[in-house]
Every structure is written in C-alpha cells, then in structure tokens.
Amino acid sequence: FLKTDGSGNLSFASAGGTNTPAFKVHFSSNVSVGAGSDTVATFNSEDFDTDNAFNTSTYRFIPQTAGKYYLYVNIQVASATNGNLYVVYIRKNGNFVGRGWHIPGASQTLSLKAYTTQTANGSTDYFDVVYYFADAKTANGGSDESEFGGYKLIT
C-alpha cells in the first residue's frame, strides 16, 4: 500500500506481520464414526504446524499467541444416507462457535464444512472439532479429504 511522509511524498510500504501460528491437520486414515453421539474428531497427522500449537494426542489447537484466528474444518462423509443428519462443529474451550450441517437428498459422499473467526488469549484457550452423524458412517482420511486448519489474522 501507499503511505505518505506528511509532506505529500508517497512511498510503498508493506502491511507487516505474519499469519502464524498456522496449522493444517488431517486423519491419517479413514475413521469409523458411530451413530447418534457427538464425537471429537481425531486429527492425528499434521500437514504443517508453524508453532507446534496443535496437539495430535488431545486433537486440540492451542494458540500460544493472543489474537484473532480464522479456523476451518472439512469432514468428508462416505456414502451419507438420504434424509439423515450430519453435523460438524468447531469448539472453543468446549463451547460450539462454528457449525456446518447437511441432510442429503440422496445417498452420496458429502463434505461437511464449518468456519469461524475467534479471539484467543494465547495461554489457556483451545479449539477442537466435534461431529455428529445420525447413522454409523466413515469419515474419509488423507490430506485432501478431512481436514482442520487455521491461522492468526494480521490485525
């Protein structure tokens, strides 16, 4: 962008800052999901994690830097059943802050997506993903199938 020195002279300046911490994780293989209960998504494989802020044992993103964060999730459901409910949630400290749902009109593979922008305190806040399937199905694994990610916004 352009900036002025106060005397009418313009020069180029950069916005500065970085979008870190940033992370993207996925299921290392397909995951069997039971019917009718909220289940924590077990993202256990990292594509990247700039600040070692995602815990692959607790499946939580714990930003160590205070700020605003953009978070997204995509869960691919194999052979979703016509008329059944499928929901994905992003949680902050155990509370729902983002949700996506789908009731397919035909049996199909579908993508459940949710996203949110949230403030994190940089010390105790955490984010994770929970899903609910009306019937037992498989969530597709692999880095291009089901994923959870996010990054700090430059403010």
Side-chain angles (χ1 to χ4, degrees):
F1 66 91
L2 292 173
K3 70 176 186 173
T4 180
D5 63 4
S7 299
N9 298 316
L10 295 176
S11 63
F12 287 100
S14 64
T18 60
N19 290 109
T20 58
F23 75 102
K24 181 180 175 256
V25 294
H26 66 273
F27 300 137
S28 61
S29 60
N30 291 350
V31 176
S32 296
V33 179
S37 63
D38 289 340
T39 304
V40 174
T42 56
F43 293 107
N44 58 357
S45 187
E46 294 180 335
D47 294 296
F48 61 88
D49 185 1
T50 63
D51 293 61
N52 199 29
F54 188 86
N55 186 315
T56 55
S57 297
T58 63
Y59 316 112
R60 292 178 175 176
F61 171 59
I62 307 166
Q64 293 114 33
T65 304
K68 290 182 175 39
Y69 286 82
Y70 175 78
L71 302 161
Y72 66 92
V73 62
N74 175 45
I75 303 286
Q76 292 219 347
V77 183
S79 303
T81 304
N82 178 20
N84 279 351
L85 175 66
Y86 302 89
V87 186
V88 63
Y89 303 97
I90 298 173
R91 299 189 308 180
K92 176 183 179 182
N93 303 328
N95 300 305
F96 299 129
V97 295
R99 176 188 67 181
W101 61 275
H102 193 81
I103 300 173
S107 293
Q108 61 185 296
T109 297
L110 62 89
S111 291
L112 291 171
K113 298 178 185 296
Y115 56 90
T116 186
T117 301
Q118 295 290 314
T119 300
N121 63 17
S123 58
T124 59
D125 288 334
Y126 70 87
F127 300 93
D128 63 0
V129 171
V130 170
Y131 44 73
Y132 171 91
F133 293 177
D135 57 341
K137 289 296 173 193
T138 297
N140 294 341
S143 62
D144 294 329
E145 303 291 334
S146 297
E147 62 188 7
F148 176 36
Y151 51 88
K152 183 177 181 291
L153 298 172
I154 299 170
T155 56

